[in-house]
Amino acid sequence: VLWSLDLGWVKPYITNKNPSANMPYHNALHEAAVVVAVYEAAYFHNLDLTSTKALVIAAAFHDFNHIGNSPRAEEVFDAQNIKAAIAGLQLRNQHELIDDIELIKRLIRSTEYPYRNPPYDLLECILRDADTTMPFLNKTYALTLFMGLKRELIANFKLTGSAIDHERFTQGVTNFY
């Protein structure tokens, strides 16, 4: 996917420079799954190269340096995660100009959860859906991802394990566009 779009620099940057690459859920695997999903959706919708590249870069960076399971997590909400993701994108942009940087930032902002606004356009719909469909790829994989996300939520919000169940989780994130 990345090489075909002349974005070969994305994978090594996301895996080697991303402080959250090994989080239980918001990790490099999640980023890669979202990248593949947006690429497939862009192909399905016959999007132009500019839109496809913007979607792929936004997908790769949307959870960059996500707070996840961290000692500072109780003070951080998703707005700070979005700021960190955009800062990671901007740091990378110092080394090589990324086309349509403002579009990519807007797309990243659209993934802030809970959502503040309905999606602005098809690109935001695609990115949001790709971000939230990862847990539904297959049952075993979904349970593994759910358990990782549950560990992050428990650490972030001091929740007890029984406060989050798989059924309530899936009901909360399946408002697809």
Side-chain angles (χ1 to χ4, degrees):
V1 171
L2 298 174
W3 294 110
S4 68
L5 297 173
D6 195 29
L7 297 174
W9 58 268
V10 171
K11 183 179 183 264
Y13 191 79
I14 293 299
T15 54
N16 299 328
K17 303 287 185 184
N18 185 358
S20 61
N22 296 309
M23 289 289 180
Y25 178 84
H26 292 100
N27 54 35
L29 182 59
H30 171 69
E31 302 287 345
V34 176
V35 164
V36 170
V38 300
Y39 181 76
E40 289 173 349
Y43 180 81
F44 175 82
H45 288 285
N46 199 27
L47 297 182
D48 61 50
L49 183 61
T50 301
S51 297
T52 301
K53 280 185 167 185
L55 265 174
V56 166
I57 294 169
F61 279 90
H62 83 281
D63 282 334
F64 190 90
N65 198 17
H66 196 281
I67 199 67
N69 188 4
S70 165
R72 63 187 204 272
E74 71 253 9
E75 302 167 7
V76 177
F77 299 96
D78 210 31
Q80 283 87 359
N81 290 323
I82 297 299
K83 288 178 186 173
I86 290 172
L89 173 70
Q90 289 174 316
L91 181 64
R92 174 56 185 158
N93 200 35
Q94 291 176 348
H95 305 293
E96 181 177 328
L97 280 178
I98 299 171
D99 294 333
D100 300 304
I101 192 83
E102 293 306 315
L103 170 59
I104 297 165
K105 288 181 192 177
R106 177 176 62 82
L107 292 172
I108 291 170
R109 284 187 199 99
S110 78
T111 66
E112 181 180 342
Y113 192 83
Y115 303 128
R116 294 173 183 249
N117 301 303
Y120 176 74
D121 58 13
L122 177 62
L123 301 181
E124 287 186 9
C125 289
I126 289 171
L127 182 56
R128 283 184 180 183
D129 286 352
D131 189 23
T132 57
T133 56
M134 186 185 170
F136 308 105
L137 298 176
N138 73 50
K139 195 170 186 173
T140 304
Y141 191 56
L143 189 56
T144 303
L145 292 172
F146 171 72
M147 294 309 292
L149 184 57
K150 184 175 179 177
R151 285 197 315 262
E152 287 183 15
L153 290 170
I154 289 168
N156 287 354
F157 300 106
K158 308 276 191 250
L159 297 174
T160 64
S162 61
I164 310 162
D165 64 55
H166 190 258
E167 184 178 333
R168 285 181 54 212
F169 169 74
T170 55
Q171 289 171 351
V173 297
T174 55
N175 298 322
F176 301 118
Y177 297 102

mmCIF file of all heavy atoms in Angstrom, residues 29 108-109 131 156 168 174:
data_model
loop_
_atom_site.group_PDB
_atom_site.id
_atom_site.type_symbol
_atom_site.label_atom_id
_atom_site.label_comp_id
_atom_site.label_asym_id
_atom_site.label_seq_id
_atom_site.Cartn_x
_atom_site.Cartn_y
_atom_site.Cartn_z
ATOM 1 N N LEU A 29 0.263 -1.921 15.218
ATOM 2 C CA LEU A 29 -0.643 -2.832 14.524
ATOM 3 C C LEU A 29 -1.986 -2.157 14.241
ATOM 4 O O LEU A 29 -2.546 -2.291 13.149
ATOM 5 C CB LEU A 29 -0.854 -4.100 15.348
ATOM 6 C CG LEU A 29 -1.749 -5.162 14.733
ATOM 7 C CD1 LEU A 29 -1.197 -5.641 13.391
ATOM 8 C CD2 LEU A 29 -1.903 -6.337 15.688
ATOM 9 N N ILE A 108 -7.181 13.904 10.995
ATOM 10 C CA ILE A 108 -6.762 13.404 12.311
ATOM 11 C C ILE A 108 -7.681 13.952 13.398
ATOM 12 O O ILE A 108 -8.125 13.211 14.277
ATOM 13 C CB ILE A 108 -5.286 13.756 12.591
ATOM 14 C CG1 ILE A 108 -4.356 12.953 11.666
ATOM 15 C CG2 ILE A 108 -4.933 13.507 14.065
ATOM 16 C CD1 ILE A 108 -2.906 13.392 11.700
ATOM 17 N N ARG A 109 -7.980 15.238 13.339
ATOM 18 C CA ARG A 109 -8.878 15.837 14.341
ATOM 19 C C ARG A 109 -10.252 15.165 14.348
ATOM 20 O O ARG A 109 -10.906 15.079 15.381
ATOM 21 C CB ARG A 109 -9.036 17.334 14.097
ATOM 22 C CG ARG A 109 -7.858 18.156 14.531
ATOM 23 C CD ARG A 109 -8.145 19.665 14.420
ATOM 24 N NE ARG A 109 -6.907 20.392 14.403
ATOM 25 C CZ ARG A 109 -6.291 20.854 13.321
ATOM 26 N NH1 ARG A 109 -6.842 20.713 12.119
ATOM 27 N NH2 ARG A 109 -5.148 21.493 13.404
ATOM 28 N N ASP A 131 -11.056 3.393 11.720
ATOM 29 C CA ASP A 131 -10.522 3.426 13.085
ATOM 30 C C ASP A 131 -11.345 2.542 14.022
ATOM 31 O O ASP A 131 -10.796 1.892 14.902
ATOM 32 C CB ASP A 131 -10.509 4.874 13.583
ATOM 33 C CG ASP A 131 -9.786 5.054 14.905
ATOM 34 O OD1 ASP A 131 -8.936 4.217 15.263
ATOM 35 O OD2 ASP A 131 -10.067 6.065 15.579
ATOM 36 N N ASN A 156 -6.432 4.607 32.298
ATOM 37 C CA ASN A 156 -6.713 6.025 32.058
ATOM 38 C C ASN A 156 -7.765 6.594 32.988
ATOM 39 O O ASN A 156 -7.639 7.718 33.449
ATOM 40 C CB ASN A 156 -7.194 6.242 30.618
ATOM 41 C CG ASN A 156 -6.082 6.109 29.611
ATOM 42 O OD1 ASN A 156 -4.931 5.967 29.963
ATOM 43 N ND2 ASN A 156 -6.442 6.127 28.352
ATOM 44 N N ARG A 168 -21.156 -3.700 25.687
ATOM 45 C CA ARG A 168 -21.306 -2.253 25.820
ATOM 46 C C ARG A 168 -20.282 -1.532 24.949
ATOM 47 O O ARG A 168 -20.576 -0.511 24.345
ATOM 48 C CB ARG A 168 -21.143 -1.819 27.282
ATOM 49 C CG ARG A 168 -22.365 -2.147 28.124
ATOM 50 C CD ARG A 168 -22.217 -1.709 29.558
ATOM 51 N NE ARG A 168 -21.868 -0.303 29.659
ATOM 52 C CZ ARG A 168 -21.108 0.191 30.632
ATOM 53 N NH1 ARG A 168 -20.626 -0.569 31.570
ATOM 54 N NH2 ARG A 168 -20.828 1.477 30.664
ATOM 55 N N THR A 174 -20.035 1.448 17.211
ATOM 56 C CA THR A 174 -20.453 0.921 15.915
ATOM 57 C C THR A 174 -21.435 1.803 15.176
ATOM 58 O O THR A 174 -22.251 1.334 14.416
ATOM 59 C CB THR A 174 -21.031 -0.494 16.066
ATOM 60 O OG1 THR A 174 -22.077 -0.444 17.019
ATOM 61 C CG2 THR A 174 -19.978 -1.493 16.447
#
